[in-house]
């Protein structure tokens, strides 16, 4: 069972991701992820990244093709058990040309000595309405 404090801490991690990413604060990513985080952006063509450094390298390689803004909403806790939790949330990415893309984030969290951290994230684009 998650406490209110656990839910708040996990929600803050999810919300912080967009701020850190948008300003290129890759050093701050260590406060979000475990060192062996699996970050699956294969549905977006980016493959499966392992560790914050590979996330940084992928973002830098995209350069101007990165969204200028990441927004997250609709955070739902789907599972909690023995120092772990799972969430699903919606994300919106605003591109330099003003277009908007929608994704679903599926995150797994682990309580570490440093606090809650994301151990696994799957990012799936939403391109077709009314489909799971």
């Amino acid at each position: 069972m998650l406490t209110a404090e656990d839910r708040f801490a996990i929600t803050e991690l999810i919300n912080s991701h967009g701020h850190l990413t948008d300003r290129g604060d890759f050093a701050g990513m260590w406060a979000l992820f475990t060192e062996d985080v699996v970050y699956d952006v294969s549905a977006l063509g980016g493959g499966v990244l392992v560790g914050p450094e590979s996330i940084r390298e992928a973002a830098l390689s995209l350069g101007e093709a990165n969204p200028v803004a990441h927004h997250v909403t609709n955070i739902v806790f789907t599972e909690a058990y023995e120092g772990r939790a799972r969430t699903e949330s919606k994300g919106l990415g605003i591109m330099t040309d003003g277009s908007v893309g929608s994704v679903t984030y599926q995150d797994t969290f682990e309580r570490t000595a440093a606090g809650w951290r994301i151990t696994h994230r799957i990012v799936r684009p939403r391109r077709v309405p009314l489909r799971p």
Side-chain angles (χ1 to χ4, degrees):
M1 185 78 161
L2 294 174
T3 66
E5 291 81 12
D6 291 330
R7 288 175 175 269
F8 179 78
I10 289 168
T11 300
E12 283 294 295
L13 288 177
I14 295 169
N15 289 334
S16 295
H17 174 261
H19 292 286
L20 294 169
T21 301
D22 292 345
R23 66 177 176 251
D25 183 358
F26 299 108
M29 294 289 185
W30 288 96
L32 304 180
F33 301 115
T34 57
E35 67 181 53
D36 60 348
V37 62
V38 175
Y39 199 95
D40 184 348
V41 287
S42 55
L44 295 169
V48 177
L49 311 171
V50 179
E53 182 59 24
S54 66
I55 296 169
R56 183 188 78 78
E57 289 171 6
L60 291 175
S61 72
L62 280 175
E64 296 297 315
N66 278 294
V68 296
H70 293 77
H71 300 279
V72 68
T73 186
N74 300 42
I75 300 168
V76 177
F77 287 79
T78 59
E79 192 174 351
Y81 53 95
E82 299 181 26
R84 290 187 171 265
R86 292 182 189 219
T87 64
E88 186 169 272
S89 57
K90 304 296 289 178
L92 296 171
I94 314 300
M95 305 307 287
T96 57
D97 66 1
S99 63
V100 178
S102 178
V103 298
T104 299
Y105 293 117
Q106 292 177 313
D107 293 327
T108 302
F109 296 84
E110 181 178 307
R111 187 192 325 261
T112 71
W116 287 98
R117 296 293 184 266
I118 300 170
T119 61
H120 192 247
R121 171 171 271 187
I122 301 171
V123 184
R124 290 195 174 96
R126 296 289 301 169
R127 296 187 177 121
V128 178
L130 304 177
R131 291 215 177 139

